[in-house]
Amino acid sequence: MKHFFRLAAFLALFAFPVTEASATGCGGGSGTCFVVAAGGNSNTNTTWTDTTGGATCTCTPAAGDAVILDSAAGQLTINASLSVASLDASGTGGSGSPYTNTLTQNASTTLTITGTLFRLSSSMTLTQASGSSSVITIGVNAGSSTVTIDTFGKVMGLTNLGVTSGTQTFQLASALNVTKTVASTLTFVVGTFDANGQNVTAMVFNSNNSNTRSVLMGSGTWTLGGNTNASTALTVWDTGTATGLTLTTSTAPIVIASGTSNQTFTPGASRTFNSLTINGSANGVVTLNGTSMSFSTLTANAPAKLRVTSGTTTTFSGAITATGSSASLVGIQATAPGVLATISLGSDSTMAWGAVQDITTSGAGKLTATNSFDMGGNTLANGGTITAPAVGGSGGAIIGG
């Protein structure tokens, strides 16, 4: 028996180190976690260290720990769902220099930020395996605090702000871009979303729920859509449920990017926005789907095809400018054939090389459409006109179907 225990002790000296996730958080009790120079997977305990540039602490972040990525950190792969209080790649609290390596997020994983900071760095690389199942959820337990989101315009996949409750404010510190794939959606659930003068680019912006929430659009440009998957139609803006929503548009312009499928803008009832620009697609149609919508101006660039909701009035306090060419027309049409849609114009408006169908104009302005096609059902106020091209052509297939 004595020899058996001696043998066991001897073999223990050669045992392989344990690398699976530890039950205790890293940070040496401070709750601050760094990544070792060699990097590794997030659920492997040799990936983490208590100090910047230090040796492994043989532990993994616990819920409530803060993760700091700095210049001393290697590549980090989120290979299993990870929940931490914050993630800061600016180097603050560590080496002082920002993270320059790669943060990779595997498919079917969720990075959850429960606290008040999600900050990347301009010099790092963010790689997400999936635009729909590599999920980032921010501000789960933020309460009434301000949650800073600073991504430097890195292209991201599915991003959730808030979950079910809270009065937190999600404030951008740099441009936000959620356009990795057609399935990439910026979902705002509850609290206040403050764009803070930053540009917001999203394949889809969704805040279609009845929670108490406010959207402060700010002064940056909101660019929506751009879907290149011709078989997938998108609702690129969805605030269709009016309950609980306060929308402050400030001076933010909205751009609907060119796509190859149908794209729908659904603001809900009686919403007012600033300028709207539609960059056209040869195949896709942009539909303004709402009641009593208002915009300051509309710019439609060929080959844009716009549908406005039949039986309702869409107001433009300024002018419409729709510009096509003999080879690439623009179109404006009601959503239901034979059921008129009204467009109220605050200023005189122009269309060149376009097609108009089932549209009634009202308001102080008139529509003058040159080299354009009257597809029927139109009533233009204030002496508005649709003048056909001087030479041939047919617009019958331009905006129908």
Side-chain angles (χ1 to χ4, degrees):
M1 184 63 67
K2 181 187 297 183
H3 295 297
F4 172 81
F5 285 116
R6 287 177 177 172
L7 177 60
F10 177 79
L11 291 175
L13 295 175
F14 293 91
F16 290 104
V18 177
T19 59
E20 60 268 7
S22 169
T24 60
C26 54
S30 69
T32 303
C33 307
F34 301 85
V35 174
V36 297
N41 291 331
S42 60
N43 71 342
T44 302
N45 55 25
T46 53
T47 299
W48 299 96
T49 175
D50 292 336
T51 58
T52 176
T56 179
C57 57
T58 319
C59 56
T60 56
D65 284 348
V67 170
I68 293 178
L69 300 177
D70 60 10
S71 57
Q75 176 173 318
L76 175 63
T77 298
I78 300 172
N79 66 318
S81 291
L82 176 65
S83 178
V84 294
S86 61
L87 185 147
D88 186 357
S90 69
T92 302
S95 68
S97 298
Y99 187 56
T100 59
N101 224 305
T102 299
L103 174 63
T104 299
Q105 185 178 7
N106 289 353
S108 302
T109 65
T110 299
L111 171 61
T112 300
I113 306 299
T114 62
T116 60
L117 180 62
F118 178 64
R119 174 173 287 141
L120 303 179
S121 80
S122 60
S123 53
M124 66 176 283
T125 299
L126 175 66
T127 301
Q128 292 176 294
S130 169
S132 58
S133 69
S134 300
V135 182
I136 298 176
T137 298
I138 303 173
V140 174
N141 298 321
S144 59
S145 301
T146 296
V147 181
T148 299
I149 302 172
D150 195 2
T151 62
F152 295 91
K154 304 290 184 185
V155 178
M156 297 163 57
L158 191 66
T159 305
N160 301 317
L161 305 182
V163 181
T164 57
S165 63
T167 57
Q168 64 272 13
T169 295
F170 300 93
Q171 188 175 75
L172 299 186
S174 58
L176 181 64
N177 189 329
V178 185
T179 59
K180 181 174 177 58
T181 67
V182 65
S184 299
T185 301
L186 173 60
T187 302
F188 170 52
V189 180
V190 67
T192 298
F193 177 59
D194 180 8
N196 194 33
Q198 304 297 331
N199 293 337
V200 177
T201 304
M203 191 67 69
V204 171
F205 175 72
N206 185 298
S207 188
N208 185 20
N209 63 72
S210 57
N211 297 320
T212 300
R213 64 212 190 280
S214 298
V215 177
L216 309 179
M217 294 183 67
S219 57
T221 300
W222 285 59
T223 303
L224 306 170
N227 174 25
T228 57
N229 184 339
S231 64
T232 303
L234 290 181
T235 299
V236 297
W237 174 288
D238 192 352
T239 54
T241 301
T243 303
L245 175 63
T246 300
L247 178 66
T248 303
T249 57
S250 299
T251 59
I254 296 173
V255 175
I256 299 180
S258 176
T260 56
S261 72
N262 293 341
Q263 302 185 106
T264 301
F265 185 90
T266 303
S270 302
R271 297 295 180 189
T272 299
F273 299 89
N274 289 291
S275 64
L276 173 65
T277 298
I278 298 175
N279 291 319
S281 159
N283 299 311
V285 175
V286 172
T287 299
L288 301 183
N289 176 34
T291 303
S292 301
M293 289 176 288
S294 297
F295 300 87
S296 59
T297 60
L298 169 67
T299 300
N301 297 314
K305 303 175 187 68
L306 174 65
R307 287 187 181 139
V308 289
T309 306
S310 293
T312 69
T313 298
T314 301
T315 299
F316 296 93
S317 59
I320 287 176
T321 303
T323 307
S325 68
S326 60
S328 181
L329 301 187
V330 293
I332 300 178
Q333 178 188 45
T335 53
V339 182
L340 300 182
T342 299
I343 295 177
S344 177
L345 301 174
S347 301
D348 288 348
S349 300
T350 60
M351 171 181 280
W353 291 101
V356 186
Q357 183 175 8
D358 295 327
I359 296 297
T360 296
T361 63
S362 64
K366 69 176 180 179
L367 175 64
T368 301
T370 57
N371 290 320
S372 296
F373 300 93
D374 185 340
M375 306 302 294
N378 301 303
T379 303
L380 305 186
N382 303 321
T385 56
I386 303 173
T387 305
V391 179
S394 174
I398 297 302
I399 57 173

